[in-house]
Every structure is written in C-alpha cells, then in structure tokens.
Amino acid sequence: MSAGQAAALGIGIFAVLSAVAVFTLAWRREQIARRVGKPDKGMTRTSITRPKLTLVGAGGAVAEAEPAIAEEEAPAEPARPAQQELSETEFGATRRMFLNRSVGAAFGAFMGFFAVTSLAFMWPRLRGGFGGRIDAGNVDDIRAALFTPEGRIEPFYVAEAKTYVMPFDESLVAGSDFEGLGVVAGGLVGLFQKCVHLGCRVPWCASSQGFECPCHGSKYNAHGEYEAGPAPRNLDRFVLEIDERNHLIINTGAVRDTARAKDKTVGYPQGVSCI
Ligand code: FES
C-alpha cells in the first residue's frame, strides 16, 4: 500500500467516523427532545370543541345548552408554541453528553487513523523498497559488471536490496542445496549482505574472492557458502526472477536459507584473506 493509498484510506475512515459521530449526536438530541416533550403545534384554544350540556328540568323536560364559559366569548388569542425550559440538571447533562461524545468521536478518529497508518507500515511491499521486489537492472549489464579485466569476480551490489549479486553457473544447481529454491536465475545469485551469525554486514574480500565478516571472523565463498567461523549456515539469499525486459528482479520478501554443506560449488580462498 502506497503512502497515497494509506492517506486516502485514513481520510475515508475519518469521514465515516465523523459522520457516525454527527449522526449519533443528532439522534441523541432527538431522544432528549422526545423525553422532555415537544409542543403540539395544532393544539390551540380555538381547536378545542366542547360537548354541549344536556339539562333535565322538572317533569323530565330535556334541553341542550352551550356550556357557560365566559372566556368563550372573548376572541381567541393567536396560538403560541409552548416553551419547554430545560432544567439546570438536564442542560448540564446535555452539555456533558455532547462533550463526552465529541471526545469519543475524536478519540475514535485518532484510533482509526493510527490503525490505518500502522497497517500501511506493516503491509508487505509489493513493489520497490526492501521487503518487496526490486529491479536490479538489465541482466547483461549486471553480468558485464561482475568481472574485472583480470577475470576476478567483483560483486554487483544493489543497495536498495542489501544484496550482492554474484555469478553462479546454473549447471551447478542440480543436485546442490540450492536446487528448487528459485535463488539462481540467468547465471546469477543474490546474497543477503547480513552475516548469519549476528547480523553484521559482510564485506567482499577481493584478494580471497570471498565474504569475510570483520565482527567474529565468519567466512563464506563467492556463492555465499559457509567456509569458516561461528556462522551457523550459508549466507541467506533471495528468490530471483528475470522479467520480460530482461531485468533482474530481486524478491527481498522471499529469503531462503541453506545449511552448511561439505561439497562447495566454488573454491575458496583464491588468495590472501582480508581478516
Ligand atoms: S556477525 Fe559475522 S561472524 Fe559474527
């Protein structure tokens, strides 16, 4: 997930949370209004009809009469909506609820944004950057850069991938510990620079044609195979691919480790060691 996508997602979640908060506040206001009571706008003095009175006189005579209410004679006053005053307790509760829900909404928005950014940070990179697939360049160019005029190996270092790209004769893969791992492509292998003992970066030693760790003396040959020192296994290596443009793609999200082997695929040392 790119930074732009993460930002868009974060803004979307923030908008949804804000909408939920606004809706909740509106709903709560409605609930409070209902509990306190609203005036019935159609309820006016003139709209009230009173039943006529039935009078029974002496001898059973029955007569109907209008109720004698003096106010009925007066002209009806214009209807005025009844005003409902909130008590201090109700007013305090409403304000407190508003503040509580505002704080809750802000906290929720913050947590949502935090979750999205954390997810974006942990999301495996599918393109570019260490942890993803890195374009190391044209295979022919890399091969041409791997040897000095004297025919000695010079690693092609890819800083973004933290990888030494080295030559590897593909005919040696069958029957070796590297068979079926996908770590050799186009006659190349990609070695992770980190020493498998305690993690120091292992430099290349041109004179011995091997990798020699200055921290505790582990040594590996040009194919990253264990030769000496406290390292428990060979240098780790990445899965490689060659794309349709003939570019070497180093998949730094797919690391492969292999055990020490008795039979090495390349000789070491081929000169004086550096440590
Ligand atoms: S870190 Fe390389 S030998 Fe210890």
Side-chain angles (χ1 to χ4, degrees):
M1 179 183 289
S2 67
Q5 289 172 319
L9 193 54
I11 291 169
I13 289 180
F14 181 79
V16 170
L17 288 172
S18 300
V20 169
V22 169
F23 176 79
T24 304
L25 285 171
W27 181 78
R28 286 295 302 159
R29 288 187 63 182
E30 180 69 21
Q31 293 294 310
I32 292 167
R34 277 192 194 158
R35 197 174 61 213
V36 172
K38 274 185 173 175
D40 183 354
K41 290 178 182 170
M43 196 74 168
T44 63
R45 287 173 64 95
T46 53
S47 68
I48 300 173
T49 56
R50 294 185 175 81
K52 290 184 176 180
L53 298 179
T54 302
L55 303 176
V56 180
V62 176
E64 287 190 343
E66 294 291 331
I69 299 173
E71 291 83 350
E72 286 296 320
E73 304 302 327
E77 293 178 9
R80 237 189 275 168
Q83 297 203 353
Q84 297 291 335
E85 296 283 339
L86 288 179
S87 69
E88 284 193 13
T89 306
E90 288 169 335
F91 180 73
T94 304
R95 186 173 55 186
R96 192 164 54 247
M97 279 190 286
F98 174 78
L99 290 174
N100 286 345
R101 291 181 193 288
S102 299
V103 170
F107 182 71
F110 171 77
M111 290 305 291
F113 187 75
F114 179 74
V116 169
T117 50
S118 300
L119 190 65
F121 179 75
M122 292 186 290
W123 201 271
R125 287 182 164 188
L126 301 180
R127 292 183 65 83
F130 190 75
R133 293 152 57 84
I134 295 170
D135 186 343
N138 183 275
V139 170
D140 295 333
D141 293 342
I142 295 172
R143 284 205 197 104
L146 280 174
F147 294 95
T148 66
E150 296 78 34
R152 306 278 285 177
I153 295 174
E154 186 66 35
F156 183 85
Y157 181 65
V158 182
E160 193 179 5
K162 302 177 183 175
T163 297
Y164 295 107
V165 177
M166 304 293 291
F168 196 112
D169 185 345
E170 290 193 73
S171 66
L172 300 173
V173 176
S176 76
D177 291 341
F178 309 117
E179 186 175 8
L181 299 181
V183 294
V184 178
L188 302 170
V189 65
L191 304 177
F192 190 15
Q193 67 179 19
K194 195 171 84 169
C195 181
V196 295
H197 179 223
L198 292 178
C200 292
R201 178 182 169 185
V202 189
W204 171 250
C205 177
S207 56
S208 69
Q209 294 284 281
F211 295 93
E212 299 179 354
C213 184
C215 294
H216 311 99
S218 290
K219 296 178 179 178
Y220 314 85
N221 64 30
H223 289 169
E225 294 167 312
Y226 171 85
E227 293 284 353
R233 62 180 188 271
N234 300 328
L235 282 178
D236 292 338
R237 54 208 66 217
F238 298 115
V239 170
L240 302 181
E241 299 161 27
I242 296 177
D243 69 10
E244 65 284 353
R245 302 167 300 160
N246 197 36
H247 278 215
L248 179 70
I249 306 299
I250 303 173
N251 187 351
T252 55
V255 62
R256 300 289 181 261
D257 62 65
T258 49
R260 294 177 177 180
K262 282 187 194 156
D263 300 323
K264 311 293 183 340
T265 55
V266 64
Y268 172 88
Q270 299 178 26
V272 180
S273 287
C274 296
I275 57 173

